[in-house]
Amino acid sequence: MSKILKQIMYITASILILFSIATVFTLHQTKFGRSPSGERLARIRKSPNYKDGSFQNQSYTPIMTEGVSYFSVGKEFFFGKKKSVSPIDKIPSTKTDLINLDRSKDVLVWFGHSSYFIQIDGKRILVDPVLSGHTSPFSFSIKAFYGTDRYTVDDIPDIDYLFISHDHWDHLDYETVMKLKSRTKKIICGLGVGEDFESWGFNKNAIIELDWNEHAALDSGFVVNATPARHFSGRGLKRNQTLWVSFVFQTPSMKIFIGGDGGYD
């Protein structure tokens, strides 16, 4: 074996070892949450939507597009030419004073992607709030586009209902929910996601976890139904250990569909 080849193998092995150490360290950070266990895991295993060790979509839903592989996708991501992937200018937006809103007014404010604030029938609701300026475990990656980060947690009033459609980083933002912990009355999410909130110190009695086709009464005149969605879940290396959901939210005056970024199923 040539000296150059030995050096290449040594460098490659060193990189793999460092990557493995970094991965183990990263996955043990609090922000990744915790895998379902105990009574919660027992409930998950009884779900008709949990099969062969993971949650399943109702319809066949391949992760990869036909004709591609992880290798080809990785090659394109790292070495392909990227054009028009960022706005050429600041994204236009309007900022609303949410804290001083008249409680009698019905309002919807979109923050971007699947994040929005709803005030309806006197209740204040947040859906998949991501207000940290990034959608990954690392603050330096997947940054918000200029102009889309107008709101911070300080702009958010006390919340009656926090809806989380699934546990992906661009829907369940650790920094945002932790800052809202003392100001959130009820959390509504899919099976298993409550384990993350409990591991972060949220009150267990404030968490409502639902399987598809289950419902819960929130307050007088306010009912939520968990409906199927076509997507996947996971904050770490293992997919689909928690359930992704859509919601039909019934208020005294309106019925609202909350879908996250999942498809119909």
Side-chain angles (χ1 to χ4, degrees), residues 5-200:
L5 183 56
K6 286 182 178 180
Q7 289 177 336
I8 292 174
M9 291 180 66
Y10 174 78
I11 293 172
T12 302
S14 299
I15 291 173
L16 289 173
I17 291 171
L18 289 173
F19 178 77
S20 299
I21 293 172
T23 299
V24 171
F25 171 76
T26 299
L27 292 179
H28 279 80
Q29 290 191 63
T30 304
K31 65 179 69 175
F32 279 81
R34 187 171 63 195
S35 298
S37 60
E39 294 180 5
R40 181 175 281 109
L41 181 57
R43 183 185 172 196
I44 286 173
R45 287 172 174 168
K46 292 178 182 178
S47 169
N49 306 301
Y50 187 84
K51 301 172 184 176
D52 302 322
S54 64
F55 283 104
Q56 307 287 334
N57 284 297
Q58 292 184 333
S59 304
Y60 174 63
T61 308
I63 296 298
M64 306 294 290
T65 303
E66 292 183 8
V68 302
S69 64
Y70 283 106
F71 176 77
S72 62
V73 170
K75 181 180 178 182
E76 175 65 25
F77 179 81
F78 287 107
F79 303 108
K81 293 183 179 180
K82 300 177 178 66
K83 295 181 179 180
S84 303
V85 295
S86 298
I88 60 174
D89 204 349
K90 178 181 178 180
I91 302 295
S93 61
T94 300
K95 189 171 182 178
T96 301
D97 183 356
L98 303 179
I99 293 177
N100 295 307
L101 275 177
D102 182 346
R103 277 270 191 169
S104 66
K105 292 185 177 180
D106 295 342
V107 175
L108 187 147
V109 176
W110 180 47
F111 300 135
H113 192 45
S114 297
S115 299
Y116 44 96
F117 169 89
I118 305 171
Q119 181 173 279
I120 186 167
D121 293 332
K123 298 293 185 182
R124 288 169 167 170
I125 299 112
L126 268 183
V127 177
D128 293 351
V130 179
L131 303 174
S132 64
H134 62 92
T135 59
S136 82
F138 312 105
S139 60
F140 58 82
S141 66
I142 317 183
K143 303 283 286 184
F145 289 130
Y146 183 46
T148 68
D149 53 354
R150 294 284 300 277
Y151 291 87
T152 69
V153 173
D154 293 335
D155 299 312
I156 306 299
D158 291 354
I159 295 300
D160 295 293
Y161 310 133
L162 170 62
F163 286 94
I164 300 293
S165 63
H166 60 293
D167 64 4
H168 282 160
W169 293 90
D170 55 343
H171 297 261
L172 177 50
D173 180 43
Y174 173 76
E175 293 178 24
T176 298
V177 298
M178 288 300 291
K179 290 177 181 177
L180 289 169
K181 183 193 292 188
S182 63
R183 299 194 283 118
T184 301
K185 293 180 181 178
K186 294 180 182 178
I187 301 158
I188 304 98
C189 57
L191 280 182
V193 179
E195 189 81 37
D196 291 332
F197 282 98
E198 277 197 56
S199 74
W200 297 333

Side-chain angles (χ1 to χ4, degrees), residues 120-121 123 125 161 163 186 188 208 210 213-227 246-258:
I120 186 167
D121 293 332
K123 298 293 185 182
I125 299 112
Y161 310 133
F163 286 94
K186 294 180 182 178
I188 304 98
I208 299 171
L210 299 173
N213 303 312
E214 291 184 340
H215 71 279
L218 303 178
D219 287 295
S220 178
F222 294 85
V223 178
V224 59
N225 293 268
T227 45
S246 56
F247 302 100
V248 175
F249 178 46
Q250 176 75 61
T251 81
S253 67
M254 197 174 296
K255 188 177 290 183
I256 302 170
F257 178 72
I258 298 171

